[in-house]
Amino acid sequence: QAQLVESGGGLVQAGDSLRLSCAASGRTISTYHMAWSRQAPGKGREFVSGLKWSGYSTVYADSVKGRFTISRDNAKNTVYLQMNNLKPEDTAVYYCAASRTYFGGTYSNYNYWGQGTQVTVSS
């Protein structure tokens, strides 16, 4: 079972960038499909981005397409979410997720989750 720990969140201004990290332990992530989702205050969880185990396929929510990039470093057993041109509506707790079998845009189909990291974007 993969254990996931997110880091890199913080308070930034609109237009700034942040890079979130998701470090895995217990299992190597090289055979897992990875994803990020987020939950804003008072709202439901929302899928943000996914990356196939091979690293060759990605999927993004329309709201972040062109601004966010998901990537992985299998040697470090870590997945990243580079977030550029942040907007106040990106404010949320961001969660990392993994699945051995599912790759796609439905966050609830991922099996393993981290505890989340807070991202706050001020206007």
Side-chain angles (χ1 to χ4, degrees):
Q1 179 173 339
Q3 294 180 321
L4 307 172
V5 178
E6 302 94 336
S7 63
L11 172 63
V12 298
Q13 293 186 330
D16 285 351
S17 298
L18 273 179
R19 188 177 78 159
L20 304 183
S21 299
C22 171
S25 62
R27 292 285 176 93
T28 175
I29 65 167
S30 62
T31 58
Y32 285 79
H33 308 304
M34 303 298 295
W36 289 92
S37 68
R38 66 187 181 186
Q39 187 162 13
K43 296 187 178 181
R45 195 169 294 197
E46 170 190 30
F47 174 84
V48 173
S49 181
L51 175 63
K52 208 167 186 178
W53 72 270
S54 64
Y56 291 120
S57 294
T58 58
V59 59
Y60 294 93
D62 288 342
S63 58
V64 306
K65 205 171 291 184
R67 300 187 299 122
F68 290 12
T69 304
I70 189 171
S71 62
R72 66 198 303 158
D73 185 337
N74 289 337
K76 295 183 178 180
N77 223 27
T78 300
V79 174
Y80 302 100
L81 185 68
Q82 177 67 42
M83 307 186 295
N84 297 331
N85 190 23
L86 282 161
K87 304 176 180 181
E89 51 264 42
D90 294 319
T91 295
V93 177
Y94 283 73
Y95 299 91
C96 176
S99 173
R100 290 292 301 274
T101 57
Y102 176 78
F103 168 70
T106 302
Y107 76 87
S108 58
N109 286 346
Y110 291 83
N111 307 107
Y112 308 109
W113 292 91
Q115 294 301 306
T117 185
Q118 176 70 48
V119 172
T120 303
V121 185
S122 63
S123 58

